[in-house]
């Protein structure tokens, strides 16, 4: 009897649960051993949280357990190579459209950062750079706070969030950092994937730079604003 599974082939095909769990695993388990890879496989094959113990999640767990009785995780990985895209360049560009905490809803940017202004992108990019190079989650908290804002009450279909303002961020600074870390990682790496799309699309305007996390030498951040402005002119 055949056992059918629908396995994501890229980051944007993963659902929110899968993205959060996979990114959390990458952040907190540095040793990429067989156990690590088996955990990744289980998240890909069972795309719902088993802890929820819903009828659907239980059924998927049973299907995956039956599959493992017929083969092994190592053979699955060797035959189908489902993990390959996870270890390549970050291509996640889908943001959670809305997050809710303490009864309040905050809305995120368009996928691929399509509706960010130059000022907002430059500000958020600096936060992203600081988070990646300093490995300090506080910069991720500020990045999430900058990107996720309440409705602006207008009919602007391109951006339903209130206009970007550094001064208004203090109103949300004690709320959004309380989001689950998995959700914040989803947002942070969706920014990275969207940023990669922009850089790859305009290689001359945005020369690639490698993030160096070693402490001895800190690379000074260079804002994208002058390059963006010159391109728009």
């Amino acid at each position: 009897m055949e056992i059918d599974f629908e396995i994501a082939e890229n980051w944007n095909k993963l659902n929110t649960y899968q993205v959060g769990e996979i990114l959390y695993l990458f952040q907190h388990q540095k040793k990429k051993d067989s156990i690590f890879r088996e955990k990744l496989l289980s998240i890909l094959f069972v795309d719902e949280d088993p802890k929820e113990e819903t009828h659907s999640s239980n059924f998927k767990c049973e299907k995956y357990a039956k599959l493992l009785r017929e083969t092994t995780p190592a053979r699955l990985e060797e035959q189908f190579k489902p993990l390959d895209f996870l270890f390549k360049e970050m291509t996640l560009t889908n943001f959670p459209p809305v997050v809710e905490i303490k009864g309040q809803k905050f809305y995120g940017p368009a996928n691929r950062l399509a509706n960010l202004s130059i000022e907002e992108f430059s500000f958020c990019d600096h936060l992203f750079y600081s988070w990646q190079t300093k490995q300090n989650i506080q910069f991720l908290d500020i990045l999430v706070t900058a990107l996720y804002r309440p409705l602006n009450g207008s009919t602007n279909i391109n951006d339903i969030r209130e206009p970007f303002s550094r001064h208004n961020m203090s109103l949300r600074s004690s709320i959004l950092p309380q989001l689950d870390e998995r959700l914040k990682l989803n947002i942070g790496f969706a920014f990275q994937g969207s940023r990669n799309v922009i850089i790859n699309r305009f290689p001359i305007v945005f020369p690639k730079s490698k993030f160096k996390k070693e402490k001895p030498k800190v690379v000074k951040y260079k804002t994208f604003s002058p390059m963006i402005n010159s391109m728009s002119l």
Side-chain angles (χ1 to χ4, degrees), residues 2-230:
E2 291 187 358
I3 307 175
D4 295 328
F5 289 93
E6 291 185 11
I7 308 301
E9 298 176 349
N10 60 62
W11 280 97
N12 285 328
K13 292 288 182 66
L14 298 169
N15 61 35
T16 302
Y17 160 74
Q18 291 175 302
V19 170
E21 290 296 321
I22 290 172
L23 291 175
Y24 187 86
L25 197 60
F26 270 104
Q27 288 291 110
H28 294 280
Q29 188 167 332
K30 303 302 181 184
K31 192 176 181 180
K32 308 301 186 288
D33 55 10
S34 59
I35 296 176
F36 174 85
R37 301 179 83 91
E38 287 174 15
K39 288 181 180 178
L40 290 179
L41 280 173
S42 68
I43 297 169
L44 287 179
F45 278 83
V46 182
D47 61 359
E48 294 184 43
D49 190 352
K51 296 176 184 176
E52 296 286 335
E53 295 189 348
T54 63
H55 175 75
S56 177
S57 65
N58 289 340
F59 176 68
K60 291 176 181 179
C61 286
E62 290 172 6
K63 280 207 312 178
Y64 186 53
K66 183 177 181 180
L67 179 65
L68 293 182
R69 286 195 292 269
E70 299 179 0
T71 184
T72 64
R75 288 179 181 174
L76 277 177
E77 187 177 348
E78 181 181 357
Q79 183 176 357
F80 299 106
K81 302 187 183 302
L83 303 182
D84 282 7
F85 74 89
L86 296 176
F87 294 92
K88 296 178 181 178
E89 183 182 37
M90 172 54 68
T91 58
L92 178 66
T93 58
N94 292 345
F95 288 86
V98 59
V99 298
E100 184 171 356
I101 186 169
K102 293 187 175 182
Q104 300 182 66
K105 290 184 178 181
F106 301 93
Y107 297 81
N111 294 339
R112 297 194 174 201
L113 301 174
N115 58 358
L116 261 65
S117 66
I118 293 174
E119 179 188 7
E120 183 179 355
F121 178 79
S122 181
F123 179 75
C124 291
D125 189 65
H126 199 172
L127 292 170
F128 168 77
Y129 180 89
S130 297
W131 169 47
Q132 287 290 294
T133 54
K134 299 178 182 179
Q135 293 295 285
N136 186 337
I137 199 170
Q138 289 185 343
F139 290 107
L140 175 59
D141 288 339
I142 303 172
L143 174 63
V144 172
T145 302
L147 290 172
Y148 279 74
R149 307 195 288 273
L151 295 174
N152 65 2
S154 74
T155 57
N156 182 0
I157 61 174
N158 294 319
D159 197 348
I160 60 176
R161 306 169 300 162
E162 71 176 20
F164 171 71
S165 170
R166 303 185 189 192
H167 306 293
N168 291 343
M169 286 178 56
S170 60
L171 302 175
R172 308 185 299 280
S173 61
S174 63
I175 302 175
L176 285 160
Q178 298 180 51
L179 287 172
D180 184 84
E181 184 182 351
R182 291 164 178 79
L183 189 54
K184 291 190 288 188
L185 289 172
N186 187 332
I187 296 167
F189 282 100
F191 186 93
Q192 178 180 348
S194 301
R195 182 184 191 275
N196 288 342
V197 169
I198 296 171
I199 290 174
N200 291 334
R201 187 176 179 185
F202 304 104
I204 297 177
V205 179
F206 302 112
K208 286 189 177 182
S209 60
K210 294 181 179 180
F211 292 112
K212 296 184 178 180
K213 299 176 183 178
E214 296 85 359
K215 290 184 178 180
K217 187 177 180 180
V218 178
V219 180
K220 186 177 180 181
Y221 177 77
K222 293 183 180 180
T223 177
F224 281 161
S225 293
M227 289 184 287
I228 297 174
N229 288 329
S230 64

